[in-house]
Every structure is written in C-alpha cells, then in structure tokens.
Amino acid sequence: MNASDAGFLTHLEALRQVLWRSVAAVGVLLVPGFFAAPEVLGFLVRFTCPPDFKLNYFTPMEPLIVQLKLGLFLAVVAAMPVILRQAARFVAPALYEHERRAAGRAVAAATLLFLAGAAVGLFLVVPLMMKFSAAYASESLAPVIGIGSFVNLVGLLALSFGVMFQLPVVMVLLVRCGVVEVGALKRSRPLAVTVIFILAALLTPPDVVSQLLLGVPTWLLFEAALLVAARCSPRNPPPEEPPPARSAVPERTAAAVAEESPENDAETALDAVYRESYRKKRRKNRRFGMINGHYRTKRGGKK
C-alpha cells in the first residue's frame, strides 16, 4: 500500500468516525425527543392554528409514526451543535491556523443562525400559512388537516429556513480563506439572487407566500454577508511556512563534482548529475515529509 492509499484510508476512517458520532448524538437525543413530541405538537397547534382547531389522523399507526418523526426532528435540532463541531474537526487538519480560528467562530455563528432560521420558520411562516389556509373555510368547505401533513409542513419549513440561513457563514468563510473575492460575489449578485429564489421554491411548499418568506430574508442575509465579508477579507495573503534551512556549506554543482573526480569519465559525470538531481528533489519534497529514492536507485543500478 503506497502513501496515497494510506492517506485516503485515513481520511475515510476519520469521516466514518464523524458520521458515527453525529448519528450517536441524534440517537441519544431521540429518546427525550420522542417523549417531548406530544407537548411540542400541542404547543405548535395552539400557537400556529386558529382557536378550537384539531388535527386528524387517517390510519391507526399514524399518530405513533408522526411522534417518531417529530422526535427525530427535535433530536436533529438539539444535536446540530455536535454535528457542526464534528464537521469542523474533520476539516481542521487541512486548514492553516488562522483558518481554524475562523472555523471555530463559524461553528458558533452557524448554530445561532440555524436556530434563528428554524424559529422564523416555526413562529412566523407556519402561523401565516395556517391563517391563510383557514381563510378559505366556508359553510360548504371545511378544512380537514391530517397530523402527518401538519408535522411534515412544520419540519420542512424549519429545516429549510435553518439551512438557508447558513448562507452568510459560507460566504464569509470562503472570502476569509481566500477561495473567492468580495468583488466576484458582488458581480455575481443577480445570479445569486436567482439561485436563492429557485432554492426557496424547491425547499418550500408550492405557494408564493412561503417562497417569498424564505427568499426575501435569505437575500437580505446575502447582502449583509457581503458587508461582513468585505470587512473580513484578508488584506494580505496568509504567510507561507518558511522553507527548510539550508546548510551553511555551499552545495557543489555537477560540473564541480565532475572536475574534482580523479577519473573524469562518462560514468562519474552521470553520477554527479544524479546526485545533484536527487538533492533538488529532496529539497522540494522536504516540506511534505517525503523522501524520494528514485535517483539513488538509478545510481545503484549503474554501479
């Protein structure tokens, strides 16, 4: 097994550990989430629906399945800080020191923005949608909303708003790490706004109200992220690691080695060329901790 295969397997094992820890966190929090689901559902119905509103179920096992879904949703929301921290730890070895500090602040900001987005979806968008739906009720048209449809709507809106509110964190990180420039983001503003509203249409139910309620705040967050990214943009590129110190004794060139040799034949000159090439190759790869024995092997074959 060569070095590249070993490195790939190491990264694969690290990714497996990150996934297992995230799943374990969700699994541990699923138990309290399952028992808290009925209370949370009753609170959502009282807060988002008109007075004397009742949900319906159409299959015998639907209430249990819905309770499991809602408990899983609560577990994912509660475990989101752990999931984000595990993701940050997975990518940390590939980052510079200043990028690691930025990633630590990004985890805290992403957690707060996710909770803020989920709160907006639950306490602003869902009540508006339920009131909008109740306005169509009449003597000949009565709403019969199933418990499964209601929980799916609540979960979809909360997760959609939480994910879309991560846009400022992603933008600031990309600018801070030097992947993109603020000027490029400003020039691509029309495309970004179009993509935001397309994602809002895909992540929300097929109605204009919820799409606008998701698209407009995300667009405003995009503009705010541009201002923050402009202040966080690095003025100078990050300093590279210093090259390894060279020896005080000057290295001899291939011509000097050939002249000092007592037997100035073709084989001695070829050995000098191989030695010089090997030194250059070793200096080039010293930063990555690799030792290349290519020229040493070829030199041994010539003897």
Side-chain angles (χ1 to χ4, degrees):
M1 182 182 297
N2 53 27
S4 60
D5 293 338
F8 174 76
L9 293 178
T10 302
H11 286 82
L12 194 62
E13 177 65 21
L15 178 61
R16 187 186 69 84
Q17 293 180 0
V18 167
L19 294 178
W20 273 114
R21 289 169 183 168
S22 302
V23 172
V26 174
V28 170
L29 295 172
L30 179 59
V31 177
F34 176 80
F35 291 103
E39 296 295 331
V40 174
L41 181 60
F43 169 76
L44 290 175
V45 171
R46 291 191 302 268
F47 185 83
T48 62
C49 299
D52 300 330
F53 182 85
K54 292 184 179 181
L55 296 173
N56 304 273
Y57 65 93
F58 306 103
T59 60
M61 299 302 295
E62 187 176 6
L64 178 61
I65 296 175
V66 169
Q67 188 174 353
L68 282 172
K69 286 183 178 180
L70 186 55
L72 180 61
F73 169 74
L74 295 176
V76 171
V77 172
M80 190 56 62
V82 178
I83 296 173
L84 293 175
R85 182 173 180 81
Q86 291 298 321
R89 290 181 61 183
F90 176 71
V91 301
L95 303 177
Y96 290 102
E97 184 62 29
H98 70 284
E99 294 173 345
R100 293 179 184 177
R101 292 193 297 267
R105 293 190 292 266
V107 170
T111 303
L112 294 177
L113 284 175
F114 181 86
L115 295 177
V120 170
L122 287 176
F123 303 120
L124 177 61
V125 181
V126 175
L128 290 178
M129 291 189 63
M130 297 305 296
K131 292 179 182 178
F132 180 77
S133 176
Y136 285 95
S138 62
E139 296 181 358
S140 59
L141 185 63
V144 180
I145 301 176
I147 184 175
S149 301
F150 178 77
V151 171
N152 290 337
L153 175 66
V154 170
L156 177 63
L157 288 176
L159 287 177
S160 300
F161 274 79
V163 171
M164 291 292 284
F165 272 46
Q166 304 300 309
L167 180 62
V169 178
V170 176
M171 290 176 55
V172 172
L173 277 180
L174 291 178
V175 172
R176 188 68 182 85
C177 297
V179 178
V180 295
E181 297 180 354
V182 180
L185 292 175
K186 291 181 179 179
R187 290 191 297 269
S188 62
R189 181 184 281 111
L191 178 61
V193 173
T194 304
V195 172
I196 287 172
F197 280 94
I198 290 176
L199 290 176
L202 294 175
L203 295 175
T204 55
D207 62 277
V208 180
V209 177
S210 60
Q211 294 171 7
L212 290 177
L213 289 176
L214 178 57
V216 173
T218 308
W219 174 39
L220 296 178
L221 286 174
F222 174 80
E223 298 295 337
L226 285 179
L227 298 177
V228 176
R231 300 185 60 181
C232 296
S233 178
R235 299 294 187 272
N236 298 316
E240 297 184 355
E241 297 181 2
R246 296 183 178 181
S247 175
V249 180
E251 296 182 355
R252 297 175 297 175
T253 62
V257 173
E259 290 178 359
E260 294 177 4
S261 178
E263 298 179 1
N264 191 10
D265 53 0
E267 184 176 358
T268 306
L270 186 61
D271 287 344
V273 172
Y274 280 141
R275 282 195 296 270
E276 180 67 20
S277 300
Y278 172 72
R279 291 193 186 97
K280 292 180 179 180
K281 192 69 175 181
R282 186 177 59 184
R283 288 196 304 269
K284 182 179 179 181
N285 295 334
R286 189 176 298 169
R287 180 183 177 185
F288 305 99
M290 296 185 299
I291 300 177
N292 193 328
H294 175 67
Y295 295 99
R296 182 179 298 176
T297 304
K298 294 185 68 175
R299 177 188 173 188
K302 290 292 184 178
K303 290 184 180 181

